[in-house]
């Protein structure tokens, strides 16, 4: 790894541009001269064909500038409206993007984001779901919804090759926040690469009002190089079998929801928030914790039919499951959202920040000396 | 592994036969000429002493044709009958069997099955338990019941060498579904090799009636070769310390409860079922999920004294614990039971299927186009 | 590792003495002649500079004779006394101690013990906390309390270099048993090395009376050599990223709370106890189980605002979280407290024993034959 250097995101974007600089969709190490040159430029050395060190892999041209789902993009509450039919479209798209500054990865996304878009219905609604696959994709895809009574959770009837589409219809029979994810034979690789999201089925009475709702997703990414290595990261199945990922991420990018990347989430002191959290896995349980705060209410497994737990510091959220949380913000502070398997924050990139602004509350917290 | 090939289960059984072809009980790589030849035959090449590739290990003669516990073999409900004394015998037996087609492993079993037989009593019953060890065994064994107040959960007084037997008596003081398992110093190896099962202690009032009850157990097996490698797999302690198993299994065999092996579980649309699930481990937490369905009710830790959780997609079941679940079957479909640490399904063999037959229910689920 | 031998704890203490024999505070392999000699003596061979085998590492002089927190050292109950201000001081100290007989490790402790001291307040109390760092330390330290609404749970305002101290004040706003831990950038290494403990925030009404309260903490330690290797163990970050520790410990030392080390915990038949358990991690979830017993009551996440679960065999306690348990002792027996990821007991040192004395209760448990 001695030849690898990190560059700033801004510098990287300038070099790669939005549409790429000659490379596209080439995965796994066989890249052309332009790629070499680009990577050498990234690393700040002259790009000549001969001086690439063994094991060095150039980054690839990004075909997607942002993977991280916007955590504030949450569909509006339904709040007990009468059941009806709701239609959604998920578009599978394989795309090269930066997983951290200067390092590229071939993501598999729903609607160009990780996690895929949050869908919201109520118990008793009929859901019409169309699954499409982008023309330029290489793999087949489908969708398994944990909210579905039906073969493969819908996967059996949504298998689409590049350019195809299929539609299923189901009735949401039970409430809760459920994961959806790709479920082709390489299901673990597809989820690890980003193909998961959440469908919320509100109970008939709806949810209690809060000031904010946020949408977050965790997954771990298995690549052939450690985090912090510039260049292109190819997917690595042996690492996945050993459950030793290079990255553990919140919303699909290294430190995605922090000022150094896509920015922190903003709230004001005294407000309340609900967090919809989905753990794609494919393999690791998340010990989800808000540093400097507590889950005022927590619904394990996103199972909203049950009374919430009160004042939970860390909730285990298995892979292929969710958690729903409510938070209070009594003091101004940056709240760090982490998997408290804490190396995954420090060494593998799992971090999101909720920035609480407002006046200090010395009765609750203050530095003395 | 380049010399390894997979063969079909049928072909393998024909070659090995029921009683074996000259090999028996030899573990760990020191095998004779017959073994070499047998394995070469399995791999479809002439069996000559000289041409065996380095690292190649022949399969061994099976001494047990089926390891997978029959999931429908559940003792009948007690339903509030008065407390009484109930007697059970567990026979420890070490036996060679196929862990997947063409690959053998030295199992350690209770009563020739994995998980060991399900025992059923009610709170307040006196349980008389005899533990025997088969004459041909090599190791000592004992049993630790999580339902027992007593030294080692009974392990201290049930230690038996080959050909021995011992009896203990205990009163079931608290309700729930509890694991039992071998607990000699190499406890982890013995559990990984299959020595675990469940004892159900019904609460005084019994359990609510359902149409079916099923019995399932998960464990992970640490061998010296990856899944998919033909020949004999020896136990591998370093893999166990790293918690990187070759197999993660439901009912002791690769894809045991599927049409390609022992067959799927059969139910009819509109019926209900209760699942008794035990996770032997020895080390991995299971994220237990029914694909295309949901746990209508779930009792974490099998702790039946508590109200169940409703509509849970994925329940974390730690090693050395259980889960009790109830399911509805509103639509016809194959329901896949998996550990949603999803590589364990695809890469390591953890899969069981409940096949729901009956008429399509288009109001609940249908393919549109 | 062929050059490594194990020696008894008593022999090792004799050799190392209380204050050390020439070595002190040297970390990571660069040790002098005295160190070599001392280690060779430990291994029973003449200590000459030339004959040290490659990879051989001498033990280091202990600067702390006991790391294991006394499990009986629990602050007295508050039991509904009026809210007031309570003050505590945590002193960070880096110290060499034996992690197992003949093997040394550089711990990082709060108040010279692992886990750090248990702090006890009630909801509504104002807590004044001073964090100090010992003069001889090498690293910076701070404290994140999961009981705090405030930046970094207090970490932002408690960062101290060697010889420094800082004070914060917070009000305990919600009840429960919460972890505290160091949270500098190498947070995972500092927690793994021992820098974690518990603060209990009693609900206003207090807790129900029990005969005993005990304090236990689990953490896993990542070193450059396997458990059972004599000499000095240096911290190993790659092992931590792979989540493959050399040790998994209860109260900071190998088999700490057993007769072979610091002694078992003592209770009498018919008594009751409450266990305050904190899992520092940094990375592994604990499947906490009492062998030969059951958790009569269990509060997941130490979240005391919720009703307890009844009769739980094994509770998952994520890293960065806690569990509160109540136990009955109906029969005399040694109860083994383990992480039921059971290799961590047998292979990695996680074991504590509660010895229950008293008369046999044959109605509940007896050996028959």
């Amino acid at each position: 790894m001695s030849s690898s250097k990190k560059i700033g995101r801004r510098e990287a974007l300038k070099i790669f541009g939005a549409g790429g600089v000659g490379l596209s969709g080439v995965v796994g190490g066989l890249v052309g001269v332009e790629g070499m040159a680009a990577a050498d430029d990234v690393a700040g050395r002259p790009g000549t064909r001969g001086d690439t060190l063994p094991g060095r892999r150039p980054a690839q041209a990004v075909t997607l500038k942002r993977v991280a789902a916007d955590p504030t993009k949450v569909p509006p509450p339904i709040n007990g409206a009468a059941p009806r039919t709701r239609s959604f479209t998920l578009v599978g798209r394989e795309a090269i993007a930066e997983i951290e500054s200067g390092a590229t990865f071939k993501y598999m996304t729903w609607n160009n984001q990780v996690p895929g878009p949050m869908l919201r219905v109520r118990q008793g609604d009929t859901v019409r779901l169309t699954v499409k696959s982008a023309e330029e994709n290489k793999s087949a895809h489908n969708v398994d919804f944990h909210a579905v009574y039906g073969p493969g959770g819908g996967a059996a009837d949504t298998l689409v090759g590049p350019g195809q589409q299929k539609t299923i219809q189901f009735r949401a029979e039970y409430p809760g926040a459920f994961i959806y994810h790709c479920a082709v034979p390489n299901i673990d690789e597809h989820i690890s690469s980003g193909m998961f999201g959440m469908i919320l089925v509100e109970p008939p009475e709806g949810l209690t009002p809060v000031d904010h709702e946020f949408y977050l997703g965790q997954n771990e990414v298995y690549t052939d190089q450690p985090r912090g290595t510039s260049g292109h990261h190819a997917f690595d199945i042996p690492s996945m079998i050993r459950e030793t990922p290079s990255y553990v991420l919140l919303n699909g990018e290294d430190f995605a929801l922090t000022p150094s990347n896509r920015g922190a989430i903003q709230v004001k002191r005294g407000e309340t928030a609900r967090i919809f959290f989905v753990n794609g896995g494919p393999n690791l349980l998340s010990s989800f914790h808000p540093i400097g705060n507590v889950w005022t209410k927590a619904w394990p497994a996103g199972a909203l039919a049950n009374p919430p737990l009160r004042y939970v510091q860390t909730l285990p959220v298995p892979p292929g499951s969710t958690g729903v949380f409510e938070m209070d913000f009594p003091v101004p502070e940056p709240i760090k959202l982490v998997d408290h398997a804490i190396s995954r924050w420090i060494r593998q990139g799992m971090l999101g920040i909720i920035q609480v602004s407002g006046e200090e509350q010395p009765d609750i917290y203050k530095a003395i000396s």
Side-chain angles (χ1 to χ4, degrees), chain A residues 239-289:
Chain A
S239 298
M240 185 164 60
I241 294 173
R242 287 192 306 271
E243 303 184 5
T244 55
S246 298
Y247 297 92
V248 182
L249 303 175
L250 192 67
N251 286 26
E253 296 176 11
D254 197 88
F255 283 11
L257 307 177
T258 71
S260 68
N261 191 347
R262 305 301 179 178
I265 297 169
Q266 303 292 330
V267 302
K268 292 190 178 67
R269 197 195 71 75
E271 293 182 329
T272 58
R274 183 177 290 119
I275 305 280
F276 297 104
F277 175 75
V278 54
N279 182 12
N283 292 325
L284 299 184
L285 178 144
S286 175
S287 299
F288 200 49
H289 167 71

Side-chain angles (χ1 to χ4, degrees), chain A residues 113-176:
Chain A
Q113 66 178 65
V114 178
M118 179 173 159
L119 313 181
R120 189 166 195 158
V121 307
R122 61 151 276 173
Q123 194 177 341
D125 276 354
T126 294
V127 183
R128 189 172 277 242
L129 181 88
T130 297
V131 178
K132 294 185 180 180
S133 181
E135 292 278 357
E136 69 274 22
N137 286 346
K138 303 290 184 201
S139 295
H141 302 292
N142 61 9
V143 186
D144 168 359
F145 283 83
H146 286 196
V148 167
Y149 279 129
D157 297 307
T158 53
L159 186 66
V160 285
Q164 296 182 323
Q165 76 170 62
K166 285 194 180 157
T167 300
I168 60 169
Q169 183 176 298
F170 63 89
R171 197 167 62 203
E173 297 282 272
Y174 45 88

Side-chain angles (χ1 to χ4, degrees), chain A residues 71-88:
Chain A
T72 67
K73 221 167 161 184
V74 173
I78 293 171
N79 284 334
R84 62 175 179 88
T85 296
R86 295 174 196 271
S87 298
F88 302 97

Side-chain angles (χ1 to χ4, degrees), chain A residues 16-265:
Chain A
F16 290 125
V21 290
L23 280 175
S24 71
V26 184
V27 178
L30 291 169
V31 291
V33 174
E34 300 90 342
M36 294 277 185
D40 283 343
D41 286 348
V42 168
R45 295 191 301 117
T48 60
R49 206 184 299 199
D51 67 358
T52 303
L53 297 178
R56 184 73 190 292
R57 307 196 188 189
Q60 296 198 353
V62 297
T63 54
L64 191 59
K65 283 168 84 172
R66 174 177 177 145
V67 163
D70 181 344
T72 67
K73 221 167 161 184
V74 173
I78 293 171
N79 284 334
R84 62 175 179 88
T85 296
R86 295 174 196 271
S87 298
F88 302 97
T89 299
L90 292 177
V91 181
R93 183 163 175 235
E94 305 162 13
I96 307 287
E98 281 198 312
I99 192 163
E100 65 175 311
S101 281
T104 54
F105 176 68
K106 184 188 177 183
Y107 285 90
M108 298 182 179
T109 71
W110 293 115
N111 297 24
N112 294 329
Q113 66 178 65
V114 178
M118 179 173 159
L119 313 181
R120 189 166 195 158
V121 307
R122 61 151 276 173
Q123 194 177 341
D125 276 354
T126 294
V127 183
R128 189 172 277 242
L129 181 88
T130 297
V131 178
K132 294 185 180 180
S133 181
E135 292 278 357
E136 69 274 22
N137 286 346
K138 303 290 184 201
S139 295
H141 302 292
N142 61 9
V143 186
D144 168 359
F145 283 83
H146 286 196
V148 167
Y149 279 129
D157 297 307
T158 53
L159 186 66
V160 285
Q164 296 182 323
Q165 76 170 62
K166 285 194 180 157
T167 300
I168 60 169
Q169 183 176 298
F170 63 89
R171 197 167 62 203
E173 297 282 272
Y174 45 88
F178 299 96
I179 190 174
Y180 65 81
H181 58 79
C182 187
V184 294
N186 274 335
I187 174 175
D188 46 2
E189 179 182 352
H190 286 220
I191 294 173
S192 177
S193 299
M195 280 195 139
F196 70 101
M198 179 188 284
I199 180 169
L200 172 67
V201 180
E202 289 193 13
E205 68 277 14
L207 303 178
T208 57
V210 288
D211 295 315
H212 299 277
E213 292 187 324
F214 300 118
Y215 175 48
L216 301 169
Q218 176 173 334
N219 66 309
E220 77 269 11
V221 184
Y222 300 91
T223 82
D224 59 348
Q225 296 168 85
R227 175 180 180 241
T229 312
S230 64
H232 189 70
H233 286 236
F235 200 87
D236 188 60
I237 286 178
S239 298
M240 185 164 60
I241 294 173
R242 287 192 306 271
E243 303 184 5
T244 55
S246 298
Y247 297 92
V248 182
L249 303 175
L250 192 67
N251 286 26
E253 296 176 11
D254 197 88
F255 283 11
L257 307 177
T258 71
S260 68
N261 191 347
R262 305 301 179 178
I265 297 169

